[in-house]
Amino acid sequence: MTLKRISRGLVSICLLVLVACTNQNTEEYKSNLQSVAEEMLNNTTKAETILSEYSNVWKFSIDSGTAIGVNDMATKTGLDEEIIREHFEINSIGNVSGDFSSNVNSLKSYYKAIGKLDEIEATSKEIKSKINELNNPPEEYEKVYDEVLEMFTYSEEYIEMALNPTGSLQSFNDDKHRLTKEISSKFNRMEVLMPNDD
């Protein structure tokens, strides 16, 4: 009789420990999933600033239709004239080229030089690694994980636009707006689908 009671007691303790471990693992998974989604959102926000500047310089160059004064480009970008002279193509009379492609690539060169492009690319690689570690979600987190995975796909497209701006100004802006909307939508869906703590 005593042995049976001891056995039942041990089984009960083991079950309690197992449930506690499972809850801890589930809470840890939830925390990690939320964290990686927030990192993704922060990283795409950094990329968004760069994309907006590309778009501004692109439109300004097209609208100018001719060479642009260094101080005009400095005013438009918020960069020092010295930075404009260092990174932008300057013609023989000291003006910035009127070529939008050259000017967007010059701005990209500036962001590369100050490490902003490397930073968002490195963060994106870290996020990918973390998502791979989360690819075996507890059952109640499967739908949430799917949303985060889709959010990552869109954010990768978005970051690629910062690393390699291409297309026309219209298609660039259209893609930027579409991806911004998709990323935001996936983040919101993730929050809605996230199981509540009970």
Side-chain angles (χ1 to χ4, degrees):
M1 252 341 230
T2 308
L3 192 55
K4 278 187 179 179
R5 281 184 185 161
I6 291 171
S7 294
R8 282 188 197 138
L10 286 173
V11 168
S12 296
I13 289 168
C14 286
L15 285 173
L16 285 172
V17 168
L18 186 61
V19 168
C21 287
T22 303
N23 286 344
Q24 185 180 1
N25 289 342
T26 302
E27 285 169 23
E28 185 180 343
Y29 185 88
K30 177 180 181 177
S31 173
N32 290 340
L33 198 58
Q34 282 177 318
S35 175
V36 80
E38 285 164 12
E39 282 179 53
M40 216 184 308
L41 202 58
N42 289 338
N43 203 38
T44 53
T45 299
K46 289 176 186 175
E48 184 176 18
T49 303
I50 293 169
L51 296 183
S52 294
E53 286 305 312
Y54 287 163
S55 183
N56 288 339
V57 165
W58 202 327
K59 184 175 187 317
F60 184 58
S61 299
I62 291 171
D63 290 347
S64 296
T66 184
I68 302 161
V70 168
N71 79 330
D72 291 334
M73 186 59 84
T75 301
K76 187 65 182 175
T77 59
L79 301 174
D80 292 340
E81 288 185 22
E82 185 180 312
I83 291 171
I84 299 297
R85 286 192 184 91
E86 183 181 346
H87 292 279
F88 283 69
E89 189 180 305
I90 306 295
N91 66 20
S92 58
I93 57 170
N95 291 324
V96 174
S97 162
D99 179 56
F100 68 85
S101 179
S102 168
N103 291 341
V104 170
N105 281 317
S106 294
L107 191 56
K108 175 185 159 186
S109 158
Y110 165 70
Y111 285 130
K112 180 77 175 167
I114 63 171
K116 282 196 174 184
L117 295 182
D118 289 343
E119 181 188 339
I120 61 171
E121 193 172 21
T123 302
S124 182
K125 285 177 182 172
E126 287 171 20
I127 289 167
K128 182 178 182 180
S129 175
K130 289 176 183 178
I131 288 175
N132 286 339
E133 289 170 11
L134 295 167
N135 73 353
N136 191 18
E139 187 177 348
E140 65 267 38
Y141 288 93
E142 285 175 359
K143 287 182 181 177
V144 183
Y145 176 79
D146 289 343
E147 294 298 326
V148 171
L149 196 57
E150 285 184 39
M151 183 182 170
F152 177 72
T153 301
Y154 291 127
S155 75
E156 283 291 278
E157 275 187 71
Y158 203 68
I159 285 159
E160 183 58 29
M161 289 178 69
L163 300 175
N164 294 298
T166 58
S168 67
L169 177 58
Q170 182 68 49
S171 69
F172 183 84
N173 284 336
D174 287 348
D175 286 344
K176 176 181 174 292
H177 293 309
R178 174 182 60 84
L179 290 168
T180 299
K181 190 175 174 183
E182 293 287 6
I183 291 163
S184 177
S185 171
K186 290 297 167 189
F187 186 81
N188 291 338
R189 277 186 57 77
M190 177 215 73
E191 288 191 313
V192 168
L193 291 170
M194 189 71 78
N196 293 323
D197 295 322
D198 292 325

